[in-house]
Amino acid sequence: MKIGITCYPSMGGSGIIATELGIKLAERGHDIHFITSNIPFRIRKPLPNITFHQVEVNQYAVFQYPPYDITLSTKIAEVINEYDLDLLHMHYAVPHAVCGILAKHMSNKDIKIMTTLHGTDITVLGYDHSLKNAIKFGIEGSDIVTSVSQSLAEQTYDIIETDKRIVPIYNFVREKEFPVKPDQPTQDDDRLKSCYGIKPDEKVLIHVSNFRAVKRIDTIIDTFAKVHQALPSKLILLGDGPELMDMKKKARDLGIEDAVLFLGKQNWVSEFYQISDLVLLLSEKESFGLTLLEAMKSGVVPIGSSAGGIKEVIKHDETGFIVDVGDSTQASEYAIQLLTDIKLYKNIQQNMLKDVSARFSSDLIADQYEYYYKKMLEGNND
Ligand code: GMT
């Protein structure tokens, strides 16, 4: 199939899933056309079957804001016609689903459109009355709509008030990008640890995000403070965003600034999972939690909050633990249990690795997308 993909090409989860899916489908022989404002950051080398089309966003004196949506739609229409695309896969409801519909009208083709909802496009933007109708239009004008969890599908029905069928298809990771960490640390792991002042006997907790308030990094730091009191440990925080400075201050106020490593944005998160024991994602809104899955695939045991789709990713007491949003006491108790009871840790880790390959493998998820692509092309959107 000839597939056009539009997403935000930066480091957010939606862009990562769109890119990884494009790579996976290209490996399966499909012709993939990324139509984005920049080369998606996970594309690190030339890959067969993948073409990148850059959307230009020009600034003219008459425009107060550069018209990204219009130039994107124009570019998509050009690519549809020039490459005779079969379908568009738009990631994020606004503006991308809406741009897909506009591009279809601009092109000469009755092209099929799949839209994937990722989370904040519904759970944050859906509450903005200046966007809600555009989101609804994008959803209802798409042939097939998918969401990254059952929870997000349900929230979409509630918030957007649409009857459109929404098919949950989970996030996935391409397995070779996130190898399972060995039982004993390698020399590279020791080097990475010592480079950040982590001692061999210290346990490592990790959190990766864009440091927005919804990620509740305050709860993560509170959790870690209790763990750190009980055993030698470090907390690695990867990412950057609006909460960063407040969280640094919080770590200072709690007197644990030497144990909390704020390492900023990193391209190679997989190397940090190799040296981590636990991953924490304690958000108050989270449609899926791709960083959890990446860590779990690497063998890092998760503690998550009960928000959104996290409960679909972690099976409580089987593949990790779930706590209420804001409950740092319960989270720290689970963390200490896992880090001090090797038998429990190994048991959960084994269940988790099996579950990750059974429910979130790249082949399984790519099969699901391909199945719905074929249905769309056959004109069957049910
Ligand atoms: O988590 C973020 O803020 C980034 C965001 C995005 O839009 O790129 O991630 C969303 O999409 C990911 C991929 O489907 C999901 O795994 C994340 O859970 C989701 N984030 C939220 O719902 C907050």
Side-chain angles (χ1 to χ4, degrees):
M1 287 179 239
K2 289 181 260 177
I3 304 168
I5 295 182
T6 292
C7 63
Y8 288 117
S10 56
M11 286 170 94
S14 58
I16 293 176
I17 286 298
T19 311
E20 294 291 338
L21 179 62
I23 296 172
K24 182 81 191 172
L25 293 168
E27 285 170 359
R28 289 181 166 201
H30 298 290
D31 265 341
I32 302 300
H33 295 263
F34 283 104
I35 312 159
T36 48
S37 54
N38 232 318
I39 297 190
F41 91 100
R42 281 270 173 105
I43 297 188
R44 297 191 277 261
K45 55 178 189 195
L47 292 165
N49 303 339
I50 292 186
T51 312
F52 164 64
H53 307 272
Q54 185 158 26
V55 181
E56 286 168 47
V57 187
N58 298 322
Q59 181 61 288
Y60 294 101
V62 286
F63 294 137
Q64 193 177 355
Y65 305 105
Y68 166 71
D69 327 25
I70 302 293
T71 51
L72 171 63
S73 307
T74 310
K75 188 77 182 182
I76 297 173
E78 272 172 26
V79 177
I80 293 174
N81 287 329
E82 182 63 29
Y83 293 87
D84 195 21
L85 297 188
D86 297 308
L87 63 97
L88 295 175
H89 191 161
M90 311 306 285
H91 293 262
Y92 228 71
V94 279
H96 294 157
V98 177
C99 294
I101 296 166
L102 184 54
K104 174 177 173 164
H105 285 287
M106 285 181 183
S107 74
N108 301 321
K109 226 183 146 178
D110 181 25
I111 190 158
K112 302 295 175 191
I113 303 176
M114 175 183 285
T115 290
T116 292
L117 309 174
H118 283 274
T120 39
D121 45 354
I122 302 300
T123 59
V124 176
L125 306 183
Y127 288 106
D128 182 336
H129 80 278
S130 65
L131 293 174
K132 180 175 165 180
N133 272 342
I135 295 172
K136 193 171 163 113
F137 174 82
I139 288 176
E140 293 179 354
S142 300
D143 293 283
I144 288 187
V145 178
T146 73
S147 65
V148 298
S149 61
Q150 179 63 38
S151 154
L152 181 59
E154 284 157 16
Q155 289 183 78
T156 308
Y157 294 129
D158 280 354
I159 301 169
I160 306 298
E161 300 173 276
T162 177
D163 294 333
K164 180 83 183 175
R165 179 180 174 220
I166 299 168
V167 182
I169 300 184
Y170 287 140
N171 285 178
F172 69 101
V173 292
R174 273 187 314 121
E175 286 72 8
K176 56 178 180 258
E177 298 290 313
F178 292 93
V180 180
K181 64 188 175 112
D183 282 343
Q184 294 306 319
T186 62
Q187 280 185 348
D188 282 348
D189 298 341
D190 288 340
R191 239 191 318 268
L192 188 62
K193 275 186 160 182
S194 85
C195 149
Y196 291 110
I198 303 171
K199 300 196 187 79
D201 65 324
E202 285 180 325
K203 299 293 182 187
V204 178
L205 292 78
I206 189 166
H207 167 81
V208 183
S209 78
N210 50 16
F211 277 66
R212 289 185 301 126
V214 287
K215 300 290 175 181
R216 295 298 299 268
I217 299 169
D218 55 338
T219 316
I220 287 178
I221 294 179
D222 285 334
T223 302
F224 174 70
K226 295 178 186 108
V227 174
H228 188 59
Q229 250 182 1
L231 38 100
S233 46
K234 290 264 162 50
L235 172 64
I236 294 179
L237 292 175
L238 298 186
D240 197 351
E243 293 281 289
L244 181 66
M245 293 305 159
D246 285 352
M247 293 305 114
K248 283 193 154 183
K249 178 172 182 313
K250 185 174 173 73
R252 271 197 305 276
D253 291 348
L254 289 171
I256 52 171
E257 69 267 38
D258 292 341
V260 182
L261 310 175
F262 289 89
L263 303 185
K265 280 190 185 176
Q266 299 278 344
N267 273 341
W268 315 112
V269 286
S270 144
E271 295 184 17
F272 290 94
Y273 293 139
Q274 295 294 308
I275 59 166
S276 300
D277 300 290
L278 294 182
V279 58
L280 304 179
L281 188 66
L282 304 178
S283 320
E284 62 187 39
K285 283 183 183 184
E286 196 70 60
S287 63
F288 182 92
L290 177 60
T291 59
L292 271 183
L293 185 61
E294 291 180 339
M296 289 162 74
K297 170 63 193 68
S298 314
V300 186
V301 171
I303 299 178
S305 69
S306 53
I310 296 180
K311 295 187 295 302
E312 294 169 58
V313 181
I314 302 173
K315 294 183 178 167
H316 178 64
D317 210 8
E318 199 183 325
T319 65
F321 289 101
I322 298 275
V323 300
D324 290 339
V325 173
D327 192 349
S328 61
T329 303
Q330 184 65 78
S332 64
E333 281 168 15
Y334 285 137
I336 293 165
Q337 240 181 302
L338 281 164
L339 295 174
T340 51
D341 182 344
I342 293 180
K343 218 172 133 199
L344 173 74
Y345 186 92
K346 286 272 160 216
N347 190 20
I348 298 262
Q349 191 189 42
Q350 271 173 17
N351 294 340
M352 172 191 84
L353 288 170
K354 267 193 219 140
D355 193 46
V356 166
S357 41
R359 293 195 300 138
F360 307 111
S361 82
S362 58
D363 277 326
L364 178 78
I365 304 301
D367 283 351
Q368 293 176 0
Y369 280 115
E370 271 183 349
Y371 172 80
Y372 285 101
Y373 290 162
K374 283 184 194 140
K375 271 178 78 122
M376 273 197 316
L377 295 181
E378 287 159 5
N380 174 4
N381 295 342
D382 298 329

